[in-house]
Amino acid sequence: MRTVIFSTARNELASLLDEVSQDRVAVEIVRRDKPSAILIDKDEYEGMMETLHVLSTPANTARLMEAIADADEGKNLASHDLMDPK
């Protein structure tokens, strides 16, 4: 993770936004005597929020782990012919 001070972030905001969007790198923005903040791409944020939601209950976590185990064993997989979309 890259760290920049607030004044640099303010002066380079457009390039920082490009960086987090294109490179998927998080940027910590630090301020004097204030809490810092993290700048991340919107898709990354939404993915983290979805993961937190899925793992927010033991039942959801159990279903996810069961689905992963099934996939690893080749069970319950849908077969799609990508060459012939019909």
Side-chain angles (χ1 to χ4, degrees), residues 41-71:
D41 180 74
K42 182 181 178 194
D43 289 341
E44 295 291 323
Y45 171 80
E46 289 173 347
M48 289 188 301
M49 292 295 100
E50 184 175 346
T51 299
L52 287 173
H53 173 73
V54 168
L55 299 177
S56 66
T57 66
N60 281 350
T61 303
R63 281 193 291 271
L64 176 61
M65 300 316 283
E66 183 179 339
I68 290 171
D70 285 351

Side-chain angles (χ1 to χ4, degrees), residues 13-86:
L13 184 57
S15 64
L16 287 174
L17 291 171
D18 290 342
E19 184 177 338
V20 299
S21 179
Q22 294 168 2
D23 299 339
R24 300 289 198 232
V25 64
V27 176
E28 179 183 16
I29 301 171
V30 295
R31 300 181 295 166
R32 183 178 306 165
D33 302 324
K34 304 260 182 156
S36 62
I38 305 296
L39 181 64
I40 61 172
D41 180 74
K42 182 181 178 194
D43 289 341
E44 295 291 323
Y45 171 80
E46 289 173 347
M48 289 188 301
M49 292 295 100
E50 184 175 346
T51 299
L52 287 173
H53 173 73
V54 168
L55 299 177
S56 66
T57 66
N60 281 350
T61 303
R63 281 193 291 271
L64 176 61
M65 300 316 283
E66 183 179 339
I68 290 171
D70 285 351
D72 287 346
E73 295 173 14
K75 296 181 189 173
N76 301 324
L77 299 178
S79 176
H80 298 283
D81 185 352
L82 299 178
M83 299 305 287
D84 185 19
K86 295 182 186 178

